[in-house]
């Protein structure tokens, strides 16, 4: 019954976000058509800066002093990071076809060929719990997610893509006339005869009079190392995270919520002691997951890191600051999640910006958004949210229903990499078993916490990566050794990371063993282990497609989705034709087929992979609507900052590491 209830909740949430009639609270809006109407109808990015008419980024940079200042601040941050990395032996380039580091070209934020497109609206009325901590009487937040996108003509072709550079515009939701939130929460629930379209939204929950701008949050990929350079990691990337206040033309830098300024605290023993005392005095709130650390302890800028982001020491900012003995005297008996001092520090790590955005995320983001028709069919993603956000939807719905009914909501927040759960107003949580390749806690890690979750579907919690300086091992629910159920894309290698605390870009990963897919070479019957040097973190089990795979014969209506699917693999030619919109070349010779993990809106890819769409004109694809295949994140063209076609005078240059090395066999 628990699995059935979760499945029903997930389906209802999905329907509610796609304009389908459903008498359930709407938590996310991700339908590209609805969002395009909102974008054009007063909710465009330029409106944040009071700029009417043209919304291209050259116009914004020239006419909006606040946007100009934000771009210049980000450019300065990136220049500082570039200098630090050069001093650490890592030179970065905007345009290159060598196996060297790539850096964001800031001209994208000043060109008339680009804009920030609305890709999502998120109902965060549940953030009222946090607002109350600051004496804020609002009913939580509504968030508008904008993603960098370009479109221009070159050589008679329209070239268009998105880039992994997001702004999140946060608005406070005004309370009801009586100061409560019953009516505000109720406006997010459509009646049976209503659809979640732009008209319903703007006339109800997004009515302008009820929204007040709070802040603009930045999460952007700014550096990428290719797998040809990071041959054991399988590639790396860095993400810049900031929050800006905007008051007319003036811009302020705001502290990142619950994210410590680790370098400053490390140098100030008195301030660090003050932070430890604050945490000790508020341990119950930290355990609940609803807490606000005072701004004197917080950073205003951080860089998060992938690959293996959930294991990287740089994404665990409290771990270097505190020893378990700093919190040894606290009473943990009555707490829900935190049962030991080590778990308390882990909880704090997970609540920091970089901790949350690299654990349970997709490519450093929780909301990527779906593609519109301007995106190449070979560059589209099938699922636009992270596993964390997927798991959050039922929690937020229960919170909204309780608030709408005037009840006290369940305020508990789980770890960001927890699976979906059945929630009750009374506070009970019943986690679903984690699915294939989803995160789990190894026994030694799990015993530090209260109620957690188990692996399901005949999988076992298997360690993948341990990092020096980090207590918790990156582990996933995987098939037992020598399982006959092996499938393409299953991890096959484990390893360790030697952390470099002062230079995370110089962390070093070492493969320590192979635990699956032992066939000596590629075949259509047995699984071999493909190495990270071709861009597949932790390796992938691989079996070549046969004719039945190519026709999707294993996919049967009404039957469980198979674990693998004959998807697309590319190579340098593939990336070149996507960049230049040369579909004849793509379809004629640059696209190959290969087995990959199957994925969908409720079956997610493992960390460092994401669900890519199959082209709509592929034979048989109409019979498997809603199903995609898992690709390494940075093999999806729109998920990397480098080597896109440009509207300015620079040659398109393709990376040598692109593709799965598919030309060998596939």
């Amino acid at each position: 019954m628990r699995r059935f209830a979760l499945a029903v909740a997930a389906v209802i949430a999905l329907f509610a976000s796609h304009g389908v009639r459903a008498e359930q609270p709407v938590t996310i809006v991700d339908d590209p058509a609805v969002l395009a109407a909102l974008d054009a109808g007063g909710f465009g990015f330029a409106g944040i800066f009071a700029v009417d008419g043209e919304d291209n980024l050259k116009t914004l940079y020239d006419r909006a002093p606040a946007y100009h200042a934000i771009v210049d601040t980000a450019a300065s941050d990136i220049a500082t990071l570039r200098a630090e990395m050069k001093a650490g032996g890592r030179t970065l380039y905007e345009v290159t076809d060598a196996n060297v580091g790539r850096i964001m070209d800031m001209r994208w934020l000043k060109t008339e060929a680009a804009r920030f497109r609305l890709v999502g609206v998120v109902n965060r009325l549940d953030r009222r719990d946090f607002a109350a901590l600051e004496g804020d009487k609002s009913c939580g937040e509504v968030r508008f997610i904008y993603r960098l996108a370009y479109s221009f003509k070159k050589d008679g072709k329209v070239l268009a893509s998105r880039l992994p550079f997001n702004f999140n515009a946060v608005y406070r939701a005004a309370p009801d006339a009586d100061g409560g939130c019953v009516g505000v929460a109720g406006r997010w629930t459509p009646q049976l005869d209503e659809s979640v379209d732009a008209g319903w939204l703007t006339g109800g929950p997004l009515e302008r009079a009820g929204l007040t701008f709070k802040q603009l949050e930045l999460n952007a990929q700014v550096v990428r190392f290719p797998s040809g350079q990071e041959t054991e990691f399988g590639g790396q990337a860095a993400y810049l995270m900031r929050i800006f206040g905007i008051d007319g033309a003036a811009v302020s830098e705001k502290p990142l919520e619950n994210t410590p300024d680790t370098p400053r605290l490390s140098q100030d023993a008195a301030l660090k002691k003050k932070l430890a005392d604050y945490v000790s005095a508020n341990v119950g709130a930290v355990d609940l997951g609803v807490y606000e650390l005072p701004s004197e302890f917080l950073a205003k800028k951080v860089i998060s890191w992938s690959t293996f982001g959930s294991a990287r020491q740089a994404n665990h900012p409290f771990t270097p600051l505190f020893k378990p003995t700093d919190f040894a005297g606290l009473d943990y008996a009555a707490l829900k999640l935190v049962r030991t001092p080590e778990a308390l520090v882990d909880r704090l790590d997970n609540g920091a910006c970089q901790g949350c955005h690299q654990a349970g995320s997709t490519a450093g983001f929780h909301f990527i958004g779906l593609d519109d028709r301007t995106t190449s069919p070979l560059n589209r993603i099938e699922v636009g949210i992270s596993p964390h956000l997927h798991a959050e939807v039922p929690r937020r719905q229960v919170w909204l229903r309780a608030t709408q009914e005037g009840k006290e909501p369940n305020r508990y927040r789980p770890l960001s990499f927890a699976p979906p759960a059945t929630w009750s107003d009374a506070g009970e949580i019943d986690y679903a078993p984690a699915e294939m390749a989803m995160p789990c806690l190894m026994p030694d890690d799990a015993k530090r916490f209260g109620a957690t979750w188990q692996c399901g579907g005949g999988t076992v919690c298997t360690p993948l990566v341990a990092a020096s300086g980090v207590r918790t091992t990156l582990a996933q629910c995987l098939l037992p050794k020598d399982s006959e159920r092996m499938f393409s894309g299953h991890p096959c290698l484990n390893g360790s990371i030697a952390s470099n605390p002062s230079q995370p870009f110089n962390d070093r990963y070492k493969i320590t063993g192979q635990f699956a897919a032992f066939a000596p070479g590629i075949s259509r019957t047995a699984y071999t282990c493909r190495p990270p040097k071709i861009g597949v973190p932790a390796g992938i089990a691989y079996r070549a497609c046969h004719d039945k795979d190519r026709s999707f014969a294993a996919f049967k209506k009404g039957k469980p989705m198979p674990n693998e699917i004959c998807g697309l693999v590319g190579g340098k030619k593939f990336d070149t034709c996507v960049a230049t919109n040369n579909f004849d070349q793509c379809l004629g010779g640059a696209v190959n087929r290969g087995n990959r993990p199957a994925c969908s809106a409720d079956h997610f890819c493992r960390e460092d992979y994401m669900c890519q769409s199959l082209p709509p004109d592929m034979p048989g694809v109409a019979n498997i609507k809603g199903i995609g295949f898992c690709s390494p994140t940075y093999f999806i063209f729109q998920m990397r900052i480098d080597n896109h076609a440009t509207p300015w005078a620079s040659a398109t240059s393709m990376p040598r590491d692109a593709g799965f090395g598919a030309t060998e066999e596939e």
Side-chain angles (χ1 to χ4, degrees):
M1 287 298 293
R2 173 179 62 184
R3 299 296 300 274
F4 175 74
L6 282 166
V8 170
V11 168
I12 289 172
L14 183 65
F15 283 178
S17 71
H18 281 76
V20 178
R21 294 183 182 91
E23 205 172 6
Q24 287 287 337
V26 174
T27 55
I28 64 172
V29 180
D30 62 356
D31 185 317
V34 174
L35 293 164
L38 291 173
D39 201 334
F43 290 92
F45 185 71
I48 299 169
F49 305 96
V51 173
D52 295 325
E54 292 288 331
D55 64 352
N56 69 73
L57 298 187
K58 183 182 187 304
T59 298
L60 268 187
Y61 190 76
D62 292 343
R63 291 177 52 192
Y67 177 74
H68 191 118
I70 288 170
V71 171
D72 288 355
T73 299
S76 176
D77 293 340
I78 293 169
T80 299
L81 180 63
R82 184 178 208 163
E84 292 173 356
M85 296 179 79
K86 184 175 182 180
R90 294 294 190 104
T91 303
L92 303 170
Y93 301 85
E94 281 86 355
V95 179
T96 178
D97 62 359
N99 281 320
V100 293
R102 295 91 188 273
I103 193 166
M104 178 68 184
D105 191 329
M106 292 300 289
R107 286 178 289 183
W108 282 118
L109 274 69
K110 308 174 188 178
T111 176
E112 61 186 7
R115 63 188 297 269
F116 279 97
R117 180 161 69 82
L118 182 63
V119 297
V121 178
V122 185
N123 173 353
R124 292 307 313 269
L125 298 192
D126 66 300
R127 292 278 304 170
R128 183 191 188 196
D129 298 343
F130 289 81
L133 298 176
E134 302 173 336
D136 184 338
K137 302 299 184 181
S138 70
C139 290
E141 299 169 356
V142 179
R143 300 180 173 189
F144 296 81
I145 314 297
Y146 298 90
R147 191 163 181 221
L148 182 60
Y150 65 80
S151 179
F152 60 93
K153 282 189 175 182
K154 203 168 194 174
D155 299 328
K157 292 183 179 292
V158 175
L159 308 180
S161 182
R162 304 189 297 171
L163 288 90
F165 202 107
N166 282 19
F167 278 112
N168 172 23
V170 182
Y171 290 79
R172 293 185 179 92
D176 300 332
D178 63 0
C181 297
V182 171
V184 176
R187 283 195 287 276
W188 283 94
T189 301
Q191 300 305 305
L192 289 175
D193 60 345
E194 295 177 326
S195 294
V196 183
D197 55 22
W200 181 84
L201 288 163
T202 55
L206 300 186
E207 186 178 4
R208 276 293 189 179
L211 301 176
T212 303
F213 180 79
K214 179 183 178 182
Q215 62 196 28
L216 187 66
E217 302 176 352
L218 171 65
N219 184 20
Q221 184 188 128
V222 294
V223 171
R224 190 177 78 89
F225 294 122
S227 59
Q229 182 183 22
E230 297 282 358
T231 56
E232 295 210 343
F233 257 126
Q236 282 201 74
Y239 296 80
L240 171 65
M241 308 183 80
R242 268 196 177 274
I243 301 178
F244 299 99
I246 302 173
D247 185 6
V251 172
S252 59
E253 300 174 15
K254 301 181 74 171
L256 298 167
E257 184 177 88
N258 295 332
T259 302
D261 189 336
T262 303
R264 180 165 59 89
L265 287 161
S266 297
Q267 299 298 316
D268 190 332
L271 188 64
K272 185 171 76 168
K273 174 64 165 56
K274 189 175 181 181
L275 173 57
D277 291 343
Y278 182 89
V279 170
S280 297
N282 293 274
V283 66
V286 175
D287 178 69
L288 186 67
V290 181
Y291 61 98
E292 288 276 5
L293 299 179
S295 60
E296 64 180 309
F297 306 120
L298 304 181
K300 293 183 176 180
K301 174 185 73 173
V302 295
I303 304 293
S304 74
W305 297 88
S306 70
T307 302
F308 303 126
S310 62
R312 301 288 286 273
Q313 187 187 51
N315 300 329
H316 292 252
F318 287 91
T319 292
L321 292 174
F322 297 119
K323 302 183 293 294
T325 53
D326 293 328
F327 303 111
L330 302 179
D331 182 5
Y332 297 96
L335 300 183
K336 190 181 195 74
L337 176 70
V338 173
R339 295 296 172 83
T340 66
E342 293 86 352
L344 176 58
V345 177
D346 286 346
R347 175 64 148 168
L348 290 165
D349 280 340
N350 190 246
C353 288
Q354 64 269 54
C356 179
H357 276 268
Q358 290 291 347
S361 70
T362 296
F365 299 97
H366 291 306
F367 205 118
I368 302 100
L370 299 172
D371 295 291
D372 63 13
R373 294 181 180 180
T374 65
T375 304
S376 161
L378 302 170
N379 187 29
R380 293 178 186 169
I381 58 174
E382 188 66 31
V383 180
I385 63 173
S386 70
H388 166 66
L389 181 49
H390 172 70
E392 271 279 277
V393 166
R395 182 194 71 77
R396 295 177 190 178
Q397 285 189 322
V398 169
W399 190 101
L400 287 163
R401 284 197 297 270
T403 301
Q404 184 178 348
E405 295 167 5
K407 299 177 181 178
E408 184 71 11
N410 185 342
R411 304 185 192 280
Y412 177 73
R413 267 70 174 174
L415 296 167
S416 70
F417 53 91
T422 299
W423 293 78
S424 73
D425 295 342
E428 290 83 10
I429 305 164
D430 189 7
Y431 287 108
E435 293 194 348
M436 185 77 70
M438 291 295 99
C440 55
L441 290 167
M442 294 295 293
D444 284 347
D445 295 328
K447 68 184 181 183
R448 301 199 297 265
F449 295 93
T452 54
W453 60 92
Q454 304 296 319
C455 289
T459 63
V460 294
C461 195
T462 305
L464 278 188
V465 181
S468 63
V470 177
R471 278 180 291 272
T472 305
T473 299
L474 190 166
Q476 294 175 355
C477 296
L478 302 176
L479 294 172
K481 188 175 181 181
D482 301 324
S483 172
E484 295 181 357
R485 298 167 54 209
M486 185 55 58
F487 60 93
S488 291
H490 189 285
C492 52
L493 301 170
N494 45 32
S496 62
I497 297 173
S499 303
N500 188 323
S502 62
Q503 296 181 338
F505 49 86
N506 280 327
D507 285 359
R508 288 292 173 262
Y509 173 81
K510 181 180 180 181
I511 297 170
T512 56
Q514 179 178 344
F515 59 87
F518 292 98
I522 294 174
S523 75
R524 290 172 173 78
T525 57
Y527 292 91
T528 191
C529 182
R530 305 293 286 136
K533 68 181 181 181
I534 63 168
V536 288
I540 59 168
Y542 179 70
R543 178 182 64 80
C545 297
H546 51 56
D547 289 342
K548 287 187 176 181
D549 294 327
R550 292 173 182 273
S551 65
F552 309 116
F555 291 79
K556 306 290 186 183
K557 189 174 182 179
K559 299 293 184 181
M561 184 179 74
N563 283 327
E564 68 181 5
I565 187 170
C566 187
L568 299 181
V569 294
K572 185 173 181 179
K573 289 181 180 179
F574 175 78
D575 279 352
T576 301
C577 62
V578 172
T580 58
N581 200 10
N582 190 340
F583 295 116
D584 292 338
Q585 180 185 351
C586 287
L587 299 177
V591 178
N592 297 289
R593 304 284 297 276
N595 276 317
R596 301 287 176 257
C599 53
S600 67
D602 53 1
H603 294 279
F604 284 78
C605 303
R606 62 179 164 110
E607 184 171 331
D608 298 314
Y609 295 74
M610 69 185 301
C611 195
Q612 186 171 359
S613 296
L614 291 159
D617 57 353
M618 178 180 284
V621 77
N623 298 323
I624 55 168
K625 189 175 181 180
I627 297 174
F629 62 100
C630 294
S631 285
T633 300
Y634 307 118
F635 281 22
I636 301 176
F637 199 67
Q638 62 169 286
M639 295 309 299
R640 57 184 193 232
I641 54 171
D642 54 284
N643 290 332
H644 289 257
T646 64
W648 49 83
S650 63
T652 301
S653 179
M654 288 296 101
R656 292 175 184 169
D657 70 303
F660 282 84
T663 52
E664 294 177 19
E665 157 66 20
E666 299 163 6

